[in-house]
Amino acid sequence: MEWKVRAIRGATTASANTVEAMREAVMELLDELETRNHLDPNDIISAVFTTTRDLDATFPASIARERPNWDNVALLDVQQMHVEGSLARCIRFLIHVNTANPHWEIVHPYLRNAQDLRPDWNLAQMGS
């Protein structure tokens, strides 16, 4: 079994610019990440979270840090570049993990209104 560093992308949307709405969205997204990829948080190297400019109630990384075994993960928040007409209240991540899974077994979770960002991955992963 060969272990490699793999990057996993994902996104979701928050229902409002509140701490509660953002916490619900981030926790749901990270639950999906861990469950669908059978991921042990101890294998996570780092996570970069981005938010659209209309989300500033809290930092997604601070929400991730509340999760069990995420306290040693290197976390960073940045604001995503604004593009007129782009998806509102969007939270994205790029997470680097150590895994023995080949790239075609990695599930990139796109939830809520963010499903339309990568419809190719949604269709390919429906059976996973």
Side-chain angles (χ1 to χ4, degrees):
M1 175 182 340
E2 182 181 2
W3 285 72
K4 289 191 173 193
V5 174
R6 302 265 185 221
I8 304 175
R9 292 174 50 193
T12 190
T13 53
S15 60
N17 183 28
T18 65
V19 172
E20 297 78 21
M22 290 179 69
R23 177 172 284 110
E24 179 184 320
V26 169
M27 288 297 200
E28 177 186 41
L29 183 62
L30 296 178
D31 285 344
E32 188 77 5
L33 166 77
E34 290 181 22
T35 301
R36 299 286 298 258
N37 289 292
H38 310 288
L39 186 61
D40 179 346
N42 292 309
D43 294 329
I44 300 172
I45 299 165
S46 63
V48 177
F49 292 90
T50 70
T51 61
T52 48
R53 67 182 183 178
D54 52 2
L55 290 177
D56 62 5
T58 191
F59 296 103
S62 67
I63 296 168
R65 200 167 284 115
E66 297 171 4
R67 297 176 67 82
N69 300 315
W70 279 70
D71 51 335
N72 290 319
V73 177
L75 302 171
L76 177 67
D77 290 299
V78 296
Q79 187 177 66
Q80 185 172 313
M81 183 182 89
H82 176 71
V83 174
E84 195 63 41
S86 62
L87 184 61
R89 294 187 310 271
C90 187
I91 302 166
R92 300 175 196 235
F93 68 56
L94 175 64
I95 294 183
H96 297 95
V97 301
N98 286 309
T99 182
N101 293 342
H103 68 86
W104 61 84
E105 288 183 6
I106 300 293
V107 177
H108 303 270
Y110 283 77
L111 307 178
R112 301 181 183 194
N113 293 339
Q115 290 179 6
D116 294 336
L117 294 174
R118 287 302 303 255
D120 53 329
W121 280 346
N122 285 331
L123 293 175
Q125 296 176 19
M126 286 182 71
S128 299

